[in-house]
DNA sequence: TACATCCTTCGTGTTACACGAAGGCAAGAG
DNA sequence: CTCTTGCCTTCGTGTAACACGAAGGATGTA
């Protein structure tokens, strides 16, 4: 049996977050002691782990709750759960693509700055007047145009 | 000269977002007509493009504002801007790693469900009692353990 | 007994907008 | 010359997922 503080430390979550999850009904097996303090047994800890993982996958609290409720209902909901995970996977793939473009863009931008700092681009014409446009012309047009 | 509606459509932003950015001071060159309507010239549009890109890179409005203000100051701030972009690149790399793990996890989970649905795992012992733990034992322990 | 430490609930603050209300201005229809 | 339409404005509240702090109860120790 663990307290909020203990599970928070165990799972590297904030105590606020742990209370928030329990209050939102994401940990159905949560217990209370005689002073109304939250108590986590092994099952509750496992639920919390599941919630944490699905959150890291980008699922909203609402969706996680839906998914958890389906899990409780048992095998008859497996198809439905599968479809939720499928949709989430599609989202994750999109996010992966975006993360890649972002890294590419920022790499190009660091190189752009490195060149300026090293003096490779000696003539920075009129940067004070069009600072962002200047960068856009140099970097964004080549990278941001995909 | 473009109205809010026009730039919003041009850059695929919501009108709400465009007004929000101007109100936050991210578009210093923004103009107003005699009826106080926002008007965007080419410079303002370029600023807006820059803001949009940095937002996609995961920068907060505050950080974008800081960066924009440095840009206005001119060449003397190049080093500082470079360091901001460097830090942002580190963040982006982290996010890329997370995105990869998330995709991996969700791929494994879809396969897990596919196996169940295809009946490969015939004995689902006591899933109603430990639904999430069941999944955790099957999938998370292998993937989530990194 | 006093204090420190844990827990609780409750209420507000945060970010980056979304949304709707209420109203100003201009142009075309009748 | 009004009426409607359509754009724009500001202002105010709602949202997600917590963070944070206040106020207060129960417990343990000096």
């Amino acid at each position: 049996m663990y307290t909020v503080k203990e599970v928070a430390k165990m799972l590297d979550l904030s105590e606020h977050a742990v209370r928030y999850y329990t209050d939102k009904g994401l940990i159905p097996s949560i217990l209370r002691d005689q002073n109304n303090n939250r108590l986590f047994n092994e099952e509750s800890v496992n639920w919390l782990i599941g919630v944490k993982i699905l959150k890291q996958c980008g699922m909203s609290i609402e969706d996680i709750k839906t998914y958890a409720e389906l899990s409780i209902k048992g095998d008859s909901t497996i198809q439905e759960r599968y479809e939720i995970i499928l949709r989430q996977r599609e989202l994750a793939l999109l996010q992966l693509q975006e993360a890649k473009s972002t890294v590419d863009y920022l790499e190009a931008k660091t190189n752009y700055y490195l060149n300026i700092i090293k003096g490779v681009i000696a003539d920075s014409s009129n940067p004070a007047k069009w600072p962002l446009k200047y960068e856009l012309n140099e970097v964004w047009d080549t990278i941001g145009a995909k």
Side-chain angles (χ1 to χ4, degrees), chain A:
Chain A
M1 289 296 214
Y2 307 99
T3 67
V4 168
K5 187 168 211 170
E6 285 163 353
V7 285
K9 179 170 280 185
M10 282 166 58
L11 303 189
D12 194 30
L13 293 167
S14 76
E15 300 181 31
H16 289 295
V18 172
R19 291 202 190 89
Y20 184 73
Y21 295 157
T22 63
D23 292 351
K24 286 285 169 176
L26 300 185
I27 319 292
S29 53
I30 186 90
L31 302 169
R32 299 278 186 158
D33 71 5
Q34 74 275 16
N35 295 324
N36 203 29
N37 295 334
R38 294 169 184 82
L39 281 184
F40 294 77
N41 57 17
E42 198 191 345
E43 182 177 356
S44 304
V45 174
N46 279 323
W47 273 97
L48 201 48
I49 291 173
V51 168
K52 186 190 174 187
I53 294 174
L54 292 181
K55 259 236 66 209
Q56 283 170 354
C57 289
M59 275 180 80
S60 70
I61 299 289
E62 260 312 295
D63 287 351
I64 294 175
K65 192 174 181 185
T66 304
Y67 185 81
E69 282 163 357
L70 288 175
S71 298
I72 292 176
K73 282 196 193 168
D75 283 1
S76 63
T77 65
I78 281 182
Q79 182 70 32
E80 207 171 337
R81 277 182 273 161
Y82 170 61
E83 281 155 17
I84 290 178
I85 296 300
L86 257 191
R87 279 198 298 277
Q88 199 64 38
R89 194 190 64 164
E90 293 309 310
L91 276 178
L93 282 172
L94 275 180
Q95 283 172 21
L96 181 58
Q97 288 309 313
E98 284 171 18
K100 281 180 183 166
S101 333
T102 294
V103 167
D104 285 348
Y105 174 70
L106 289 174
E107 302 258 307
K109 200 151 182 124
T110 56
N111 287 333
Y112 163 75
Y113 273 118
L114 276 179
N115 283 337
I116 290 183
I117 291 170
K118 279 193 259 164
V120 172
I121 298 180
D123 167 37
S124 43
S125 56
N126 221 342
K129 274 192 179 171
W130 298 80
L132 266 176
K133 189 192 176 185
Y134 181 66
E135 294 183 26
L136 292 173
N137 287 341
E138 294 296 332
V139 179
W140 184 76
D141 283 351
T142 58
I143 296 294
K146 283 221 161 183

